[in-house]
Amino acid sequence: MRSRIPALSLSSALLVAIGLSAQTAFAQQAPAVVVAPATIMDLRESVDLTGKVTAIQKVDIRARVSGFLEAVNFTEGQKVTAGTELYRVEDGAYRAAVQEIEGQIEAAEAAKEFAILERDRAEQLLTSRTISQAKVDEAHAQVRKTEGDLIRLKGSKDNADLNLSYTKITAPFDGIVGLTAADVGALVGPDSGSLVTLTRLDPIYVQFPVATALYLDYRERVLKGEISGGANVALGLPNGTEYKQKGTINFVASNVSQGTDTVTVRAEFPNPDSILLDGALVRVMLEQSDKQDVLAIPQQAVQRDQQGAFVLVVDAGSKVELRRVDVARNARGQAVISKGLKEGENVITEGAGKVRPGITVDAATAAGG
């Protein structure tokens, strides 16, 4: 038994020594962090606003003459082109009115021809002093009367033709028809209200308010040449996706809305698939049209304390340095740095909580960095 005790003591001592050695190596191991370089990139200034989709054209289709509907020539929700016949009103009475006036015009033309003959005959008789000047004047007046009757009757025919044309109710522009308020056999007229709504969705407008202070700041910077006057307009849809088509600003109001202290701006968008619907609320994303190259780092690399913003920089020797920076703005997950960093310097984006300035770290570059 005495010969085994020293062996056990030796083994225990070796295990303790190995454990202490491992702990010492672990303590001396440099903390692992993830870094990303400060990079020059195109980060154009942008702003998100709330807008409302508004149809360029939207009208209520009404009957302009009275009568019973003879046909409804569309399917509700259908796309129609300008000139498409939507409804037809019974036109028998209106055709008869046109024919009646046409007959009156023929009679008036015959009366005019007869009056001209009488006038010419009277002028011939006047030369031979067979009739008086008063009779000749009367003949001239009769010609003018028949001419006036013709003008009046032709005006009546134009009106009758117009009423007859109104029996065909057509689409004034390309668009989508809504729900019909009248069916075949219904009595309609100017006082019967809207028959259907026609809405043009392509192209389409999006109106959005811009705070007056923001608008004035933008105009001032444009005049100073700090930014361009152009802007790219994109939309975020209610389901969280981005609309594929880009828009163009085509109107800026010349007055300020007193209730909201905003300026109304309008953009036009192509809408060939009718994805944008009249009245929908969307997110409007305005972005500078000209390229803006700035120095930027991932936004999560920026920390703040009572003195302001700072980052932890890892130098070429893998040592950590605290660096005060000025952050101009944030955009697309990046912080735009106006002062405190140079291009290519590495800042810690992950693991900053386990390091301090002056220590050496094991730095790995972030994916995509």
Side-chain angles (χ1 to χ4, degrees):
M1 292 294 294
R2 291 181 180 178
S3 61
R4 292 181 181 178
I5 292 174
L8 288 173
S9 299
L10 180 60
S11 298
S12 299
L14 287 173
L15 289 173
V16 170
I18 293 172
L20 291 173
S21 176
Q23 290 177 9
T24 302
F26 182 78
Q28 294 175 350
Q29 185 178 358
V33 296
V34 177
V35 298
T39 307
I40 299 294
M41 60 178 64
D42 180 14
L43 280 180
R44 309 175 194 196
E45 292 188 53
S46 62
V47 63
D48 287 3
L49 303 165
T50 299
K52 185 176 182 180
V53 180
T54 305
I56 287 181
Q57 292 176 292
K58 183 179 180 180
V59 297
D60 290 333
I61 304 297
R62 298 173 179 266
R64 303 180 72 172
V65 293
S66 298
F68 291 96
L69 277 185
E70 191 174 63
V72 178
N73 299 316
F74 64 88
T75 301
E76 294 170 324
Q78 172 187 349
K79 287 185 178 181
V80 296
T81 57
T84 299
E85 183 181 296
L86 304 177
Y87 298 94
R88 186 183 307 132
V89 178
E90 289 182 346
D91 62 1
Y94 298 99
R95 289 187 182 279
V98 171
Q99 292 174 353
E100 181 180 354
I101 295 174
E102 286 175 345
Q104 293 174 1
I105 289 174
E106 288 186 10
E109 288 176 342
K112 177 184 175 182
E113 291 176 2
F114 180 74
I116 291 173
L117 291 174
E118 287 294 309
R119 181 198 62 189
D120 293 344
R121 187 179 298 112
E123 289 178 344
Q124 291 175 0
L125 292 175
L126 180 63
T127 58
S128 62
R129 298 184 183 279
T130 305
I131 62 172
S132 64
Q133 181 65 45
K135 291 291 184 182
V136 175
D137 292 342
E138 185 180 342
H140 276 277
Q142 185 62 31
V143 171
R144 289 196 296 273
K145 179 180 180 302
T146 57
E147 290 174 343
D149 289 341
L150 270 174
I151 292 174
R152 175 178 56 80
L153 288 171
K154 288 180 179 178
S156 296
K157 183 179 183 300
D158 289 343
N159 187 58
D161 286 336
L162 193 60
N163 286 334
L164 177 60
S165 71
Y166 287 157
T167 60
K168 293 182 179 180
I169 304 174
T170 60
F173 52 82
D174 296 352
I176 298 177
V177 287
L179 298 174
T180 181
D183 210 339
V184 174
L187 178 62
V188 299
D191 298 328
S192 59
S194 173
L195 299 178
V196 72
T197 300
L198 178 67
T199 306
R200 182 183 179 188
L201 293 180
D202 184 28
I204 201 164
Y205 290 148
V206 174
Q207 293 184 1
F208 49 95
V210 178
T212 305
L214 180 63
Y215 175 73
L216 292 176
D217 179 64
Y218 162 77
R219 293 296 302 165
E220 182 178 350
R221 294 183 65 191
V222 170
L223 293 175
K224 289 181 178 179
E226 296 177 2
I227 57 175
S228 68
N232 297 323
V233 191
L235 293 181
L237 300 178
N239 63 356
T241 62
E242 184 173 337
Y243 186 58
K244 294 181 180 180
Q245 303 279 3
K246 303 299 180 182
T248 304
I249 293 176
N250 64 0
F251 171 79
V252 178
S254 58
N255 63 300
V256 175
S257 174
Q258 298 301 314
T260 59
D261 194 29
T262 58
V263 177
T264 298
V265 181
R266 186 181 71 193
E268 181 178 314
F269 288 82
N271 192 29
D273 299 322
S274 301
I275 293 176
L276 300 178
L277 300 178
D278 181 49
L281 294 178
V282 293
R283 182 166 57 94
V284 181
M285 297 170 283
L286 296 179
E287 181 186 68
Q288 278 291 304
S289 58
D290 289 351
K291 188 176 181 182
Q292 286 184 293
D293 288 332
V294 294
L295 183 67
I297 60 175
Q299 197 170 332
Q300 67 266 29
V302 180
Q303 302 181 62
R304 295 184 183 276
D305 58 17
Q306 293 181 348
Q307 299 180 45
F310 69 91
V311 294
L312 295 178
V313 178
V314 178
D315 63 18
S318 297
K319 285 189 176 182
V320 177
E321 173 191 351
L322 187 148
R323 189 84 57 82
R324 295 289 171 181
V325 294
D326 289 343
V327 180
R329 56 187 171 89
N330 295 316
R332 300 201 297 270
Q334 300 289 321
V336 177
I337 306 300
S338 58
K339 183 179 179 182
L341 281 178
K342 296 179 181 179
E343 183 181 4
E345 289 188 304
N346 288 315
V347 296
I348 297 178
T349 59
E350 296 181 29
K354 57 186 178 183
V355 301
R356 64 180 184 278
I359 71 170
T360 300
V361 295
D362 180 12
T365 303

